[in-house]
Amino acid sequence: LSPRVNITKRQCISQLSDTVIFHLKRFELDFDTFRREKVNDLFPFPLKLNMKPYTKIGLEVASGGVSIDDNPPSYYEYELSGVVVHTGTADSGHYYSYIKEYNNNGM
């Protein structure tokens, strides 16, 4: 047998798009009842998000690897524009959303 070693499993993004959508799995299996249950814990999220640490280039920079980044800092910046909320149980419910309003200047 080989000796045990610590490993890190990760995924990274090679190229970002104009829009990023996150879908969170907010259900888990209760092993006592073998039923799916909705996770209702608070999930805080930022209004602004820098995605560079989650990109291939960001991981190379953080690990001390040499990487040339041709992208401006704004390439990695995202601003929250909406949230979809589910009310109900793991088996049924309703969705509603909060959407940021923009004026004619895009702000």
Side-chain angles (χ1 to χ4, degrees):
L1 288 175
S2 300
R4 289 183 174 240
V5 295
N6 291 330
I7 63 168
T8 301
K9 180 182 177 182
R10 63 183 177 194
Q11 295 178 338
C12 62
I13 300 168
S14 60
Q15 183 177 354
L16 293 170
S17 63
D18 292 338
T19 304
V20 176
I21 298 172
F22 295 99
H23 181 261
L24 307 176
K25 179 181 172 259
R26 302 285 286 165
F27 304 97
E28 57 188 28
L29 180 64
D30 181 329
F31 287 103
D32 294 327
T33 63
F34 288 101
R35 296 188 64 179
R36 286 186 343 148
E37 292 185 351
K38 184 177 173 194
V39 176
N40 287 308
D41 298 346
L42 177 68
F43 184 85
F45 44 85
L47 297 178
K48 294 186 183 229
L49 178 64
N50 184 324
M51 289 293 293
K52 187 170 185 174
Y54 311 104
T55 63
K56 183 177 178 184
I57 290 174
L59 289 171
E60 289 173 357
V61 170
S63 65
V66 177
S67 181
I68 297 172
D69 188 358
D70 295 330
N71 298 309
S74 61
Y75 171 76
Y76 301 101
E77 295 293 328
Y78 289 85
E79 187 173 327
L80 183 68
S81 60
V83 176
V84 176
V85 180
H86 177 265
T87 59
T89 67
D91 300 314
S92 65
H94 297 279
Y95 291 91
Y96 61 94
S97 62
Y98 294 103
I99 306 296
K100 182 176 182 179
E101 272 191 64
Y102 289 93
N103 62 22
N104 292 337
N105 298 328
M107 302 292 213

